[in-house]
Amino acid sequence: VTALVGPSGSGKSTAAKLAARFWDVGEGAVTVGGVDVASVDPEALLRDYAIVFQDVLLFDDTVMGNIRLGRRDATDEEVLAAARAANCDEFVSRMPQGYDTMIGENGSKLSGGERQRISIARALLKDAPIVLLDEATASLDVENETVVQQALSRLLAGKTVIVIAHRMRTVENADKIVVLKDGVVAEQGTPAQLKAAGGEFARMVALQKEAATWQL
């Protein structure tokens, strides 16, 4: 698990989109397993990625149909298993037609937390070896964040993960942290190393703790 952190505009989301080859780099290279992604067909490359971004893209279809986008040949049982792992049962059980309920354009009939759980279920169903996670819990309340974090822990198990984080407490268990500032790497290392170094990461942690104290 590698976490990308840094102030707004530092390049975190750009780095994630370059990793998935949404864009091609102007210079340098992005490699996966030593292979330059520019040499790989984009459709073939994306089969190895599961992507959960803060802005979820859903369609005016059923809950089941939206989850099945993760893997179109999945059986109903596989779709339902992914949904349960993503904690979708809790809200789908209250819907008039359950998993066959239409959710509206871009999930307009759902809350932010419910939309995120469908996105995570889709990624679980795909079961790709690489996960790109753009702070899926940033806009959620505490109750929804807890449920979504539980679903994410199931998604990320055994995967190669790049997570974009705005809340420093969400990256405390990352294997590596890369701090971006003004489009360049300011520092990198384990959470403990960067806290001890007293640099940009340590400053960001202190600022967020201070902000949390003021809110209390």
Side-chain angles (χ1 to χ4, degrees), residues 112-166:
E114 291 165 353
R115 295 169 77 248
Q116 282 293 4
R117 279 182 265 175
I118 287 179
S119 179
I120 293 166
R122 186 188 288 171
L124 281 162
L125 183 65
K126 188 173 185 180
D127 196 27
I130 301 169
V131 179
L132 298 181
L133 187 66
D134 190 350
E135 192 60 287
T137 63
S139 59
L140 303 181
D141 57 41
V142 173
E143 185 175 350
N144 264 307
E145 181 185 8
T146 300
V147 175
V148 170
Q149 288 284 13
Q150 290 170 349
L152 285 173
S153 68
R154 300 185 185 106
L155 170 64
L156 303 182
K159 309 294 187 186
T160 295
V161 184
I162 296 177
V163 54
I164 296 170
H166 302 95

mmCIF file of all heavy atoms in Angstrom, residues 112-166:
data_model
loop_
_atom_site.group_PDB
_atom_site.id
_atom_site.type_symbol
_atom_site.label_atom_id
_atom_site.label_comp_id
_atom_site.label_asym_id
_atom_site.label_seq_id
_atom_site.Cartn_x
_atom_site.Cartn_y
_atom_site.Cartn_z
ATOM 1 N N GLY A 112 -24.549 9.425 -0.599
ATOM 2 C CA GLY A 112 -23.133 9.335 -0.972
ATOM 3 C C GLY A 112 -22.493 8.038 -0.504
ATOM 4 O O GLY A 112 -21.743 7.384 -1.234
ATOM 5 N N GLY A 113 -22.808 7.619 0.728
ATOM 6 C CA GLY A 113 -22.245 6.384 1.262
ATOM 7 C C GLY A 113 -22.737 5.157 0.521
ATOM 8 O O GLY A 113 -21.988 4.200 0.296
ATOM 9 N N GLU A 114 -24.020 5.166 0.119
ATOM 10 C CA GLU A 114 -24.576 4.043 -0.636
ATOM 11 C C GLU A 114 -23.947 3.954 -2.018
ATOM 12 O O GLU A 114 -23.635 2.857 -2.503
ATOM 13 C CB GLU A 114 -26.092 4.205 -0.730
ATOM 14 C CG GLU A 114 -26.792 4.022 0.609
ATOM 15 C CD GLU A 114 -28.223 4.530 0.623
ATOM 16 O OE1 GLU A 114 -28.661 5.167 -0.370
ATOM 17 O OE2 GLU A 114 -28.910 4.317 1.643
ATOM 18 N N ARG A 115 -23.735 5.076 -2.646
ATOM 19 C CA ARG A 115 -23.096 5.092 -3.963
ATOM 20 C C ARG A 115 -21.667 4.550 -3.873
ATOM 21 O O ARG A 115 -21.215 3.778 -4.720
ATOM 22 C CB ARG A 115 -23.106 6.513 -4.542
ATOM 23 C CG ARG A 115 -24.503 7.022 -4.824
ATOM 24 C CD ARG A 115 -24.553 8.502 -5.153
ATOM 25 N NE ARG A 115 -24.104 8.762 -6.501
ATOM 26 C CZ ARG A 115 -22.987 9.394 -6.828
ATOM 27 N NH1 ARG A 115 -22.197 9.863 -5.878
ATOM 28 N NH2 ARG A 115 -22.662 9.574 -8.079
ATOM 29 N N GLN A 116 -20.956 4.942 -2.819
ATOM 30 C CA GLN A 116 -19.582 4.458 -2.642
ATOM 31 C C GLN A 116 -19.558 2.947 -2.434
ATOM 32 O O GLN A 116 -18.669 2.251 -2.938
ATOM 33 C CB GLN A 116 -18.906 5.157 -1.463
ATOM 34 C CG GLN A 116 -18.412 6.561 -1.760
ATOM 35 C CD GLN A 116 -17.259 6.570 -2.751
ATOM 36 O OE1 GLN A 116 -16.871 5.540 -3.280
ATOM 37 N NE2 GLN A 116 -16.726 7.732 -3.024
ATOM 38 N N ARG A 117 -20.522 2.415 -1.695
ATOM 39 C CA ARG A 117 -20.537 0.977 -1.441
ATOM 40 C C ARG A 117 -20.799 0.186 -2.727
ATOM 41 O O ARG A 117 -20.235 -0.891 -2.918
ATOM 42 C CB ARG A 117 -21.569 0.643 -0.356
ATOM 43 C CG ARG A 117 -21.031 0.895 1.053
ATOM 44 C CD ARG A 117 -22.024 0.534 2.110
ATOM 45 N NE ARG A 117 -22.788 1.700 2.542
ATOM 46 C CZ ARG A 117 -23.800 1.662 3.406
ATOM 47 N NH1 ARG A 117 -24.183 0.487 3.903
ATOM 48 N NH2 ARG A 117 -24.426 2.754 3.755
ATOM 49 N N ILE A 118 -21.635 0.727 -3.614
ATOM 50 C CA ILE A 118 -21.850 0.070 -4.907
ATOM 51 C C ILE A 118 -20.557 0.095 -5.724
ATOM 52 O O ILE A 118 -20.184 -0.888 -6.370
ATOM 53 C CB ILE A 118 -23.002 0.748 -5.678
ATOM 54 C CG1 ILE A 118 -24.336 0.376 -5.031
ATOM 55 C CG2 ILE A 118 -22.998 0.334 -7.152
ATOM 56 C CD1 ILE A 118 -25.541 1.013 -5.683
ATOM 57 N N SER A 119 -19.839 1.212 -5.678
ATOM 58 C CA SER A 119 -18.567 1.324 -6.391
ATOM 59 C C SER A 119 -17.547 0.310 -5.865
ATOM 60 O O SER A 119 -16.814 -0.328 -6.628
ATOM 61 C CB SER A 119 -18.017 2.746 -6.251
ATOM 62 O OG SER A 119 -16.784 2.890 -6.902
ATOM 63 N N ILE A 120 -17.524 0.123 -4.542
ATOM 64 C CA ILE A 120 -16.597 -0.843 -3.937
ATOM 65 C C ILE A 120 -17.015 -2.271 -4.288
ATOM 66 O O ILE A 120 -16.168 -3.124 -4.587
ATOM 67 C CB ILE A 120 -16.542 -0.643 -2.413
ATOM 68 C CG1 ILE A 120 -15.888 0.722 -2.098
ATOM 69 C CG2 ILE A 120 -15.763 -1.768 -1.732
ATOM 70 C CD1 ILE A 120 -16.070 1.170 -0.666
ATOM 71 N N ALA A 121 -18.332 -2.542 -4.291
ATOM 72 C CA ALA A 121 -18.819 -3.871 -4.682
ATOM 73 C C ALA A 121 -18.405 -4.192 -6.114
ATOM 74 O O ALA A 121 -17.994 -5.315 -6.430
ATOM 75 C CB ALA A 121 -20.338 -3.932 -4.541
ATOM 76 N N ARG A 122 -18.495 -3.212 -6.974
ATOM 77 C CA ARG A 122 -18.077 -3.372 -8.383
ATOM 78 C C ARG A 122 -16.596 -3.736 -8.457
ATOM 79 O O ARG A 122 -16.200 -4.627 -9.214
ATOM 80 C CB ARG A 122 -18.355 -2.054 -9.110
ATOM 81 C CG ARG A 122 -18.124 -2.076 -10.596
ATOM 82 C CD ARG A 122 -18.248 -0.655 -11.151
ATOM 83 N NE ARG A 122 -19.598 -0.166 -11.166
ATOM 84 C CZ ARG A 122 -19.936 1.105 -11.437
ATOM 85 N NH1 ARG A 122 -18.991 2.000 -11.685
ATOM 86 N NH2 ARG A 122 -21.188 1.477 -11.454
ATOM 87 N N ALA A 123 -15.777 -3.044 -7.651
ATOM 88 C CA ALA A 123 -14.336 -3.315 -7.641
ATOM 89 C C ALA A 123 -14.037 -4.695 -7.039
ATOM 90 O O ALA A 123 -13.145 -5.407 -7.509
ATOM 91 C CB ALA A 123 -13.610 -2.225 -6.864
ATOM 92 N N LEU A 124 -14.778 -5.084 -5.990
ATOM 93 C CA LEU A 124 -14.604 -6.409 -5.404
ATOM 94 C C LEU A 124 -14.922 -7.507 -6.416
ATOM 95 O O LEU A 124 -14.227 -8.520 -6.504
ATOM 96 C CB LEU A 124 -15.515 -6.559 -4.176
ATOM 97 C CG LEU A 124 -15.027 -5.913 -2.881
ATOM 98 C CD1 LEU A 124 -16.181 -5.759 -1.906
ATOM 99 C CD2 LEU A 124 -13.916 -6.749 -2.245
ATOM 100 N N LEU A 125 -15.988 -7.298 -7.180
ATOM 101 C CA LEU A 125 -16.386 -8.277 -8.186
ATOM 102 C C LEU A 125 -15.309 -8.421 -9.262
ATOM 103 O O LEU A 125 -15.017 -9.523 -9.723
ATOM 104 C CB LEU A 125 -17.716 -7.847 -8.821
ATOM 105 C CG LEU A 125 -18.329 -8.800 -9.848
ATOM 106 C CD1 LEU A 125 -18.725 -10.115 -9.187
ATOM 107 C CD2 LEU A 125 -19.540 -8.154 -10.517
ATOM 108 N N LYS A 126 -14.697 -7.300 -9.638
ATOM 109 C CA LYS A 126 -13.654 -7.334 -10.660
ATOM 110 C C LYS A 126 -12.423 -8.089 -10.179
ATOM 111 O O LYS A 126 -11.760 -8.788 -10.945
ATOM 112 C CB LYS A 126 -13.276 -5.904 -11.060
ATOM 113 C CG LYS A 126 -12.327 -5.848 -12.248
ATOM 114 C CD LYS A 126 -12.106 -4.415 -12.713
ATOM 115 C CE LYS A 126 -11.250 -4.372 -13.970
ATOM 116 N NZ LYS A 126 -11.023 -2.992 -14.444
ATOM 117 N N ASP A 127 -12.080 -7.927 -8.887
ATOM 118 C CA ASP A 127 -10.966 -8.646 -8.263
ATOM 119 C C ASP A 127 -9.651 -8.445 -9.023
ATOM 120 O O ASP A 127 -8.911 -9.396 -9.268
ATOM 121 C CB ASP A 127 -11.284 -10.142 -8.151
ATOM 122 C CG ASP A 127 -10.352 -10.856 -7.185
ATOM 123 O OD1 ASP A 127 -9.836 -10.209 -6.255
ATOM 124 O OD2 ASP A 127 -10.126 -12.072 -7.375
ATOM 125 N N ALA A 128 -9.363 -7.208 -9.412
ATOM 126 C CA ALA A 128 -8.126 -6.886 -10.127
ATOM 127 C C ALA A 128 -6.954 -6.820 -9.144
ATOM 128 O O ALA A 128 -7.138 -6.515 -7.966
ATOM 129 C CB ALA A 128 -8.273 -5.554 -10.853
ATOM 130 N N PRO A 129 -5.728 -7.079 -9.615
ATOM 131 C CA PRO A 129 -4.568 -7.096 -8.709
ATOM 132 C C PRO A 129 -4.105 -5.718 -8.247
ATOM 133 O O PRO A 129 -3.378 -5.604 -7.266
ATOM 134 C CB PRO A 129 -3.480 -7.784 -9.536
ATOM 135 C CG PRO A 129 -3.869 -7.546 -10.961
ATOM 136 C CD PRO A 129 -5.369 -7.530 -10.980
ATOM 137 N N ILE A 130 -4.508 -4.654 -8.968
ATOM 138 C CA ILE A 130 -4.082 -3.292 -8.623
ATOM 139 C C ILE A 130 -5.316 -2.453 -8.314
ATOM 140 O O ILE A 130 -6.290 -2.461 -9.082
ATOM 141 C CB ILE A 130 -3.301 -2.635 -9.776
ATOM 142 C CG1 ILE A 130 -2.055 -3.457 -10.116
ATOM 143 C CG2 ILE A 130 -2.892 -1.204 -9.423
ATOM 144 C CD1 ILE A 130 -1.370 -3.027 -11.399
ATOM 145 N N VAL A 131 -5.289 -1.736 -7.201
ATOM 146 C CA VAL A 131 -6.416 -0.892 -6.809
ATOM 147 C C VAL A 131 -5.944 0.562 -6.706
ATOM 148 O O VAL A 131 -4.946 0.855 -6.039
ATOM 149 C CB VAL A 131 -7.014 -1.328 -5.453
ATOM 150 C CG1 VAL A 131 -8.173 -0.412 -5.053
ATOM 151 C CG2 VAL A 131 -7.491 -2.774 -5.512
ATOM 152 N N LEU A 132 -6.658 1.453 -7.391
ATOM 153 C CA LEU A 132 -6.442 2.894 -7.253
ATOM 154 C C LEU A 132 -7.603 3.451 -6.443
ATOM 155 O O LEU A 132 -8.764 3.295 -6.822
ATOM 156 C CB LEU A 132 -6.396 3.576 -8.622
ATOM 157 C CG LEU A 132 -5.292 3.147 -9.584
ATOM 158 C CD1 LEU A 132 -5.379 3.947 -10.879
ATOM 159 C CD2 LEU A 132 -3.922 3.312 -8.958
ATOM 160 N N LEU A 133 -7.269 4.110 -5.348
ATOM 161 C CA LEU A 133 -8.293 4.577 -4.409
ATOM 162 C C LEU A 133 -8.104 6.072 -4.161
ATOM 163 O O LEU A 133 -7.120 6.477 -3.558
ATOM 164 C CB LEU A 133 -8.153 3.793 -3.102
ATOM 165 C CG LEU A 133 -9.204 3.975 -2.027
ATOM 166 C CD1 LEU A 133 -10.546 3.448 -2.494
ATOM 167 C CD2 LEU A 133 -8.766 3.227 -0.770
ATOM 168 N N ASP A 134 -9.029 6.865 -4.680
ATOM 169 C CA ASP A 134 -8.942 8.319 -4.490
ATOM 170 C C ASP A 134 -9.880 8.723 -3.367
ATOM 171 O O ASP A 134 -11.058 9.000 -3.579
ATOM 172 C CB ASP A 134 -9.301 9.055 -5.790
ATOM 173 C CG ASP A 134 -8.985 10.552 -5.701
ATOM 174 O OD1 ASP A 134 -8.685 11.029 -4.592
ATOM 175 O OD2 ASP A 134 -9.048 11.242 -6.727
ATOM 176 N N GLU A 135 -9.365 8.690 -2.141
ATOM 177 C CA GLU A 135 -10.060 9.039 -0.895
ATOM 178 C C GLU A 135 -11.570 8.905 -0.989
ATOM 179 O O GLU A 135 -12.317 9.882 -1.059
ATOM 180 C CB GLU A 135 -9.664 10.444 -0.446
ATOM 181 C CG GLU A 135 -10.101 10.802 0.967
ATOM 182 C CD GLU A 135 -9.511 9.859 2.021
ATOM 183 O OE1 GLU A 135 -9.957 8.696 2.098
ATOM 184 O OE2 GLU A 135 -8.628 10.284 2.764
ATOM 185 N N ALA A 136 -12.022 7.650 -0.987
ATOM 186 C CA ALA A 136 -13.440 7.354 -1.173
ATOM 187 C C ALA A 136 -14.299 7.792 0.002
ATOM 188 O O ALA A 136 -15.521 7.832 -0.108
ATOM 189 C CB ALA A 136 -13.622 5.855 -1.415
ATOM 190 N N THR A 137 -13.690 8.121 1.137
ATOM 191 C CA THR A 137 -14.483 8.464 2.325
ATOM 192 C C THR A 137 -14.433 9.944 2.667
ATOM 193 O O THR A 137 -14.991 10.363 3.680
ATOM 194 C CB THR A 137 -13.996 7.662 3.551
ATOM 195 O OG1 THR A 137 -12.633 8.038 3.846
ATOM 196 C CG2 THR A 137 -14.050 6.169 3.291
ATOM 197 N N ALA A 138 -13.805 10.761 1.837
ATOM 198 C CA ALA A 138 -13.549 12.154 2.199
ATOM 199 C C ALA A 138 -14.823 12.960 2.453
ATOM 200 O O ALA A 138 -14.853 13.834 3.318
ATOM 201 C CB ALA A 138 -12.732 12.833 1.101
ATOM 202 N N SER A 139 -15.903 12.673 1.708
ATOM 203 C CA SER A 139 -17.108 13.493 1.831
ATOM 204 C C SER A 139 -18.200 12.827 2.662
ATOM 205 O O SER A 139 -19.343 13.282 2.678
ATOM 206 C CB SER A 139 -17.667 13.802 0.431
ATOM 207 O OG SER A 139 -17.968 12.600 -0.254
ATOM 208 N N LEU A 140 -17.863 11.754 3.388
ATOM 209 C CA LEU A 140 -18.874 11.000 4.126
ATOM 210 C C LEU A 140 -18.895 11.396 5.598
ATOM 211 O O LEU A 140 -17.894 11.830 6.160
ATOM 212 C CB LEU A 140 -18.594 9.496 4.020
ATOM 213 C CG LEU A 140 -18.520 8.904 2.603
ATOM 214 C CD1 LEU A 140 -18.272 7.401 2.691
ATOM 215 C CD2 LEU A 140 -19.784 9.198 1.812
ATOM 216 N N ASP A 141 -20.071 11.215 6.231
ATOM 217 C CA ASP A 141 -20.155 11.431 7.670
ATOM 218 C C ASP A 141 -19.488 10.244 8.382
ATOM 219 O O ASP A 141 -19.130 9.243 7.764
ATOM 220 C CB ASP A 141 -21.606 11.605 8.125
ATOM 221 C CG ASP A 141 -22.493 10.417 7.761
ATOM 222 O OD1 ASP A 141 -22.032 9.262 7.891
ATOM 223 O OD2 ASP A 141 -23.646 10.632 7.343
ATOM 224 N N VAL A 142 -19.350 10.368 9.697
ATOM 225 C CA VAL A 142 -18.581 9.385 10.463
ATOM 226 C C VAL A 142 -19.190 7.988 10.353
ATOM 227 O O VAL A 142 -18.483 6.993 10.183
ATOM 228 C CB VAL A 142 -18.481 9.811 11.950
ATOM 229 C CG1 VAL A 142 -17.828 8.705 12.782
ATOM 230 C CG2 VAL A 142 -17.693 11.109 12.072
ATOM 231 N N GLU A 143 -20.528 7.890 10.461
ATOM 232 C CA GLU A 143 -21.190 6.583 10.419
ATOM 233 C C GLU A 143 -20.972 5.901 9.068
ATOM 234 O O GLU A 143 -20.610 4.731 8.996
ATOM 235 C CB GLU A 143 -22.689 6.752 10.688
ATOM 236 C CG GLU A 143 -23.431 5.429 10.775
ATOM 237 C CD GLU A 143 -24.893 5.614 11.156
ATOM 238 O OE1 GLU A 143 -25.284 6.737 11.525
ATOM 239 O OE2 GLU A 143 -25.638 4.625 11.070
ATOM 240 N N ASN A 144 -21.181 6.659 7.981
ATOM 241 C CA ASN A 144 -20.982 6.097 6.644
ATOM 242 C C ASN A 144 -19.514 5.774 6.404
ATOM 243 O O ASN A 144 -19.184 4.777 5.760
ATOM 244 C CB ASN A 144 -21.475 7.077 5.574
ATOM 245 C CG ASN A 144 -22.885 6.757 5.122
ATOM 246 O OD1 ASN A 144 -23.186 5.646 4.734
ATOM 247 N ND2 ASN A 144 -23.764 7.741 5.189
ATOM 248 N N GLU A 145 -18.610 6.624 6.913
ATOM 249 C CA GLU A 145 -17.181 6.395 6.710
ATOM 250 C C GLU A 145 -16.758 5.063 7.318
ATOM 251 O O GLU A 145 -15.992 4.308 6.716
ATOM 252 C CB GLU A 145 -16.363 7.525 7.335
ATOM 253 C CG GLU A 145 -14.863 7.353 7.123
ATOM 254 C CD GLU A 145 -14.021 8.401 7.837
ATOM 255 O OE1 GLU A 145 -14.584 9.171 8.623
ATOM 256 O OE2 GLU A 145 -12.802 8.428 7.605
ATOM 257 N N THR A 146 -17.279 4.756 8.495
ATOM 258 C CA THR A 146 -16.925 3.499 9.165
ATOM 259 C C THR A 146 -17.352 2.294 8.334
ATOM 260 O O THR A 146 -16.586 1.345 8.155
ATOM 261 C CB THR A 146 -17.590 3.438 10.554
ATOM 262 O OG1 THR A 146 -17.136 4.550 11.338
ATOM 263 C CG2 THR A 146 -17.228 2.144 11.275
ATOM 264 N N VAL A 147 -18.574 2.344 7.794
ATOM 265 C CA VAL A 147 -19.091 1.227 6.992
ATOM 266 C C VAL A 147 -18.285 1.069 5.708
ATOM 267 O O VAL A 147 -17.921 -0.040 5.301
ATOM 268 C CB VAL A 147 -20.587 1.444 6.663
ATOM 269 C CG1 VAL A 147 -21.098 0.354 5.734
ATOM 270 C CG2 VAL A 147 -21.417 1.455 7.936
ATOM 271 N N VAL A 148 -17.971 2.206 5.058
ATOM 272 C CA VAL A 148 -17.208 2.161 3.808
ATOM 273 C C VAL A 148 -15.783 1.678 4.065
ATOM 274 O O VAL A 148 -15.222 0.907 3.280
ATOM 275 C CB VAL A 148 -17.224 3.537 3.102
ATOM 276 C CG1 VAL A 148 -16.247 3.567 1.935
ATOM 277 C CG2 VAL A 148 -18.633 3.857 2.602
ATOM 278 N N GLN A 149 -15.184 2.099 5.177
ATOM 279 C CA GLN A 149 -13.827 1.638 5.512
ATOM 280 C C GLN A 149 -13.800 0.126 5.716
ATOM 281 O O GLN A 149 -12.832 -0.548 5.314
ATOM 282 C CB GLN A 149 -13.319 2.340 6.782
ATOM 283 C CG GLN A 149 -12.966 3.808 6.592
ATOM 284 C CD GLN A 149 -11.640 4.015 5.870
ATOM 285 O OE1 GLN A 149 -11.074 3.091 5.298
ATOM 286 N NE2 GLN A 149 -11.166 5.238 5.868
ATOM 287 N N GLN A 150 -14.849 -0.434 6.311
ATOM 288 C CA GLN A 150 -14.922 -1.890 6.486
ATOM 289 C C GLN A 150 -14.939 -2.583 5.123
ATOM 290 O O GLN A 150 -14.262 -3.597 4.919
ATOM 291 C CB GLN A 150 -16.179 -2.258 7.279
ATOM 292 C CG GLN A 150 -16.138 -1.845 8.740
ATOM 293 C CD GLN A 150 -17.487 -1.999 9.424
ATOM 294 O OE1 GLN A 150 -18.512 -2.222 8.775
ATOM 295 N NE2 GLN A 150 -17.494 -1.882 10.739
ATOM 296 N N ALA A 151 -15.718 -2.029 4.191
ATOM 297 C CA ALA A 151 -15.793 -2.602 2.844
ATOM 298 C C ALA A 151 -14.451 -2.474 2.125
ATOM 299 O O ALA A 151 -14.015 -3.395 1.426
ATOM 300 C CB ALA A 151 -16.902 -1.917 2.047
ATOM 301 N N LEU A 152 -13.793 -1.328 2.306
ATOM 302 C CA LEU A 152 -12.495 -1.116 1.659
ATOM 303 C C LEU A 152 -11.449 -2.101 2.166
ATOM 304 O O LEU A 152 -10.606 -2.563 1.404
ATOM 305 C CB LEU A 152 -12.024 0.324 1.900
ATOM 306 C CG LEU A 152 -12.726 1.410 1.087
ATOM 307 C CD1 LEU A 152 -12.281 2.790 1.556
ATOM 308 C CD2 LEU A 152 -12.451 1.247 -0.404
ATOM 309 N N SER A 153 -11.495 -2.430 3.443
ATOM 310 C CA SER A 153 -10.498 -3.355 3.996
ATOM 311 C C SER A 153 -10.595 -4.708 3.308
ATOM 312 O O SER A 153 -9.583 -5.390 3.107
ATOM 313 C CB SER A 153 -10.687 -3.501 5.512
ATOM 314 O OG SER A 153 -11.898 -4.160 5.818
ATOM 315 N N ARG A 154 -11.803 -5.109 2.911
ATOM 316 C CA ARG A 154 -11.978 -6.372 2.179
ATOM 317 C C ARG A 154 -11.467 -6.243 0.751
ATOM 318 O O ARG A 154 -10.874 -7.166 0.195
ATOM 319 C CB ARG A 154 -13.446 -6.784 2.187
ATOM 320 C CG ARG A 154 -14.010 -7.008 3.592
ATOM 321 C CD ARG A 154 -15.434 -7.525 3.568
ATOM 322 N NE ARG A 154 -15.956 -7.615 4.933
ATOM 323 C CZ ARG A 154 -16.853 -6.769 5.434
ATOM 324 N NH1 ARG A 154 -17.346 -5.805 4.691
ATOM 325 N NH2 ARG A 154 -17.266 -6.905 6.683
ATOM 326 N N LEU A 155 -11.697 -5.090 0.145
ATOM 327 C CA LEU A 155 -11.258 -4.860 -1.233
ATOM 328 C C LEU A 155 -9.736 -4.866 -1.343
ATOM 329 O O LEU A 155 -9.173 -5.400 -2.302
ATOM 330 C CB LEU A 155 -11.812 -3.517 -1.733
ATOM 331 C CG LEU A 155 -11.259 -2.994 -3.066
ATOM 332 C CD1 LEU A 155 -11.625 -3.946 -4.209
ATOM 333 C CD2 LEU A 155 -11.797 -1.597 -3.352
ATOM 334 N N LEU A 156 -9.046 -4.271 -0.369
ATOM 335 C CA LEU A 156 -7.615 -4.030 -0.495
ATOM 336 C C LEU A 156 -6.756 -5.224 -0.082
ATOM 337 O O LEU A 156 -5.556 -5.240 -0.355
ATOM 338 C CB LEU A 156 -7.219 -2.808 0.345
ATOM 339 C CG LEU A 156 -7.969 -1.508 0.020
ATOM 340 C CD1 LEU A 156 -7.446 -0.364 0.888
ATOM 341 C CD2 LEU A 156 -7.861 -1.154 -1.451
ATOM 342 N N ALA A 157 -7.349 -6.222 0.554
ATOM 343 C CA ALA A 157 -6.570 -7.359 1.054
ATOM 344 C C ALA A 157 -5.837 -8.071 -0.086
ATOM 345 O O ALA A 157 -6.439 -8.491 -1.070
ATOM 346 C CB ALA A 157 -7.488 -8.343 1.766
ATOM 347 N N GLY A 158 -4.516 -8.168 0.050
ATOM 348 C CA GLY A 158 -3.712 -8.900 -0.918
ATOM 349 C C GLY A 158 -3.485 -8.195 -2.244
ATOM 350 O O GLY A 158 -3.015 -8.818 -3.202
ATOM 351 N N LYS A 159 -3.800 -6.899 -2.334
ATOM 352 C CA LYS A 159 -3.665 -6.163 -3.592
ATOM 353 C C LYS A 159 -2.464 -5.209 -3.549
ATOM 354 O O LYS A 159 -1.935 -4.889 -2.483
ATOM 355 C CB LYS A 159 -4.927 -5.328 -3.861
ATOM 356 C CG LYS A 159 -6.225 -6.081 -3.756
ATOM 357 C CD LYS A 159 -6.386 -7.129 -4.822
ATOM 358 C CE LYS A 159 -7.766 -7.752 -4.787
ATOM 359 N NZ LYS A 159 -7.907 -8.879 -5.714
ATOM 360 N N THR A 160 -2.063 -4.755 -4.734
ATOM 361 C CA THR A 160 -1.154 -3.612 -4.840
ATOM 362 C C THR A 160 -2.028 -2.368 -4.877
ATOM 363 O O THR A 160 -2.917 -2.254 -5.732
ATOM 364 C CB THR A 160 -0.314 -3.695 -6.130
ATOM 365 O OG1 THR A 160 0.536 -4.842 -6.047
ATOM 366 C CG2 THR A 160 0.531 -2.444 -6.315
ATOM 367 N N VAL A 161 -1.802 -1.439 -3.943
ATOM 368 C CA VAL A 161 -2.738 -0.336 -3.749
ATOM 369 C C VAL A 161 -2.034 1.016 -3.816
ATOM 370 O O VAL A 161 -0.988 1.206 -3.190
ATOM 371 C CB VAL A 161 -3.460 -0.446 -2.377
ATOM 372 C CG1 VAL A 161 -4.503 0.655 -2.221
ATOM 373 C CG2 VAL A 161 -4.091 -1.827 -2.211
ATOM 374 N N ILE A 162 -2.606 1.936 -4.591
ATOM 375 C CA ILE A 162 -2.228 3.344 -4.517
ATOM 376 C C ILE A 162 -3.439 4.086 -3.962
ATOM 377 O O ILE A 162 -4.523 4.062 -4.560
ATOM 378 C CB ILE A 162 -1.845 3.928 -5.891
ATOM 379 C CG1 ILE A 162 -0.592 3.237 -6.427
ATOM 380 C CG2 ILE A 162 -1.599 5.439 -5.795
ATOM 381 C CD1 ILE A 162 -0.181 3.704 -7.818
ATOM 382 N N VAL A 163 -3.274 4.707 -2.812
ATOM 383 C CA VAL A 163 -4.390 5.411 -2.179
ATOM 384 C C VAL A 163 -4.055 6.897 -2.068
ATOM 385 O O VAL A 163 -2.975 7.275 -1.607
ATOM 386 C CB VAL A 163 -4.730 4.805 -0.797
ATOM 387 C CG1 VAL A 163 -3.510 4.752 0.111
ATOM 388 C CG2 VAL A 163 -5.854 5.582 -0.121
ATOM 389 N N ILE A 164 -4.966 7.724 -2.530
ATOM 390 C CA ILE A 164 -4.828 9.175 -2.385
ATOM 391 C C ILE A 164 -5.555 9.574 -1.112
ATOM 392 O O ILE A 164 -6.738 9.254 -0.933
ATOM 393 C CB ILE A 164 -5.436 9.909 -3.588
ATOM 394 C CG1 ILE A 164 -4.658 9.552 -4.859
ATOM 395 C CG2 ILE A 164 -5.427 11.413 -3.373
ATOM 396 C CD1 ILE A 164 -5.328 10.023 -6.124
ATOM 397 N N ALA A 165 -4.856 10.221 -0.219
ATOM 398 C CA ALA A 165 -5.428 10.509 1.094
ATOM 399 C C ALA A 165 -5.385 11.992 1.414
ATOM 400 O O ALA A 165 -4.400 12.675 1.134
ATOM 401 C CB ALA A 165 -4.684 9.730 2.162
ATOM 402 N N HIS A 166 -6.479 12.473 1.998
ATOM 403 C CA HIS A 166 -6.531 13.845 2.480
ATOM 404 C C HIS A 166 -6.513 13.877 4.013
ATOM 405 O O HIS A 166 -6.096 14.844 4.612
ATOM 406 C CB HIS A 166 -7.791 14.532 1.963
ATOM 407 C CG HIS A 166 -7.889 14.553 0.461
ATOM 408 N ND1 HIS A 166 -8.587 13.597 -0.250
ATOM 409 C CD2 HIS A 166 -7.341 15.373 -0.453
ATOM 410 C CE1 HIS A 166 -8.472 13.851 -1.541
ATOM 411 N NE2 HIS A 166 -7.726 14.911 -1.688
#
